[in-house]
Amino acid sequence: MKLSIVISTHPTDFAALAYKGDFEAGLKNASQLGYDGVELAIRNPVDVDYDQLVYLLQEYGLELVAIGTGQAYLQEGLSFAHPAESVRCQAVTRVKQHIDLASCFGTKVIIGLLRGKVEAGMDKSQCLGWMKDCFVQCLTYAAKNDTTVVIEPLNRYETNLINTAGEAVELIKELSFPNFQLLLDSFHMNIEEVSIEETIRDYAAYIGHVHVADSNRWAPGFGHLDFSKIIAALEKAGYVGYLSAEIIPQPDPDIAVRQTLTCLRPMIHAL
Ligand code: LER
Ligand code: MN
């Protein structure tokens, strides 16, 4: 397993990002501290300078491990479950742009918040149907572009559509695309799963990406999750991908980013 940090390419209000101000400074610090890769939170790929991104990743020796799409939901309200067809359409179009960018780097696209939620007064099965239809459109496009999409179960305070790994795996099985996998986030799992380690064991075959944050969404070791058990379970599950730190920058960004490495590196190397 390798370590990455989630960085936003542009300023954002999303709390659980250690680096979200100066993009290049974030990459530089991550590289100097010893991260292997970065996950980028990108609201709109059109705003990303592709050549500059290629240059910076190479300059700082970082792999692009995944592209997150949630900023388009948080800042623009784009959603797969929105009652307005035009909004769902915009959400699909945007994700296709994320897929285009991801395919240039051979990396994955994350659908977390962008799948949306059942808004007050809406019918859950109708929203689920809309959401599935958007997933199928994006997965079909991603398959043509050799790109994997990962679905991230989120805790109940952020969505009411797909809170657990079991629900996500049900969707993965139902839609039956070989390029559709599961993203596990330790912060959300701590709220929703009966057992983090057993969930990892039960859904081992589907895990395509992992987010790490402690119980309070601070850096690993600053809360009460047992990361030695979580990493041992991932190792046993045969997971060889990235642990991507999606953490609140407390007590300050650099301490949080360093703490993730200090806590997790010895556990990974010890196994
Ligand atoms: C995104 O990866 C995530 O974990 C969500 O909580 C976004 O709010
Ligand atoms: Mn996450």
Side-chain angles (χ1 to χ4, degrees), residues 152 154 183 185 188 211 217 246:
E152 178 176 18
L154 302 175
L183 189 174
D185 181 323
H188 297 300
H211 280 166
R217 223 171 196 179
E246 187 179 48

Side-chain angles (χ1 to χ4, degrees), residues 8-44:
S8 172
T9 53
H10 293 82
T12 170
D13 300 330
F14 181 48
L17 290 175
Y19 290 144
K20 56 186 168 188
D22 181 340
F23 178 50
E24 182 170 352
L27 292 178
K28 190 175 176 189
N29 286 354
S31 166
Q32 286 178 347
L33 289 170
Y35 280 86
D36 309 294
V38 279
E39 176 185 318
L40 298 183
I42 301 176
R43 183 184 64 79
N44 190 341

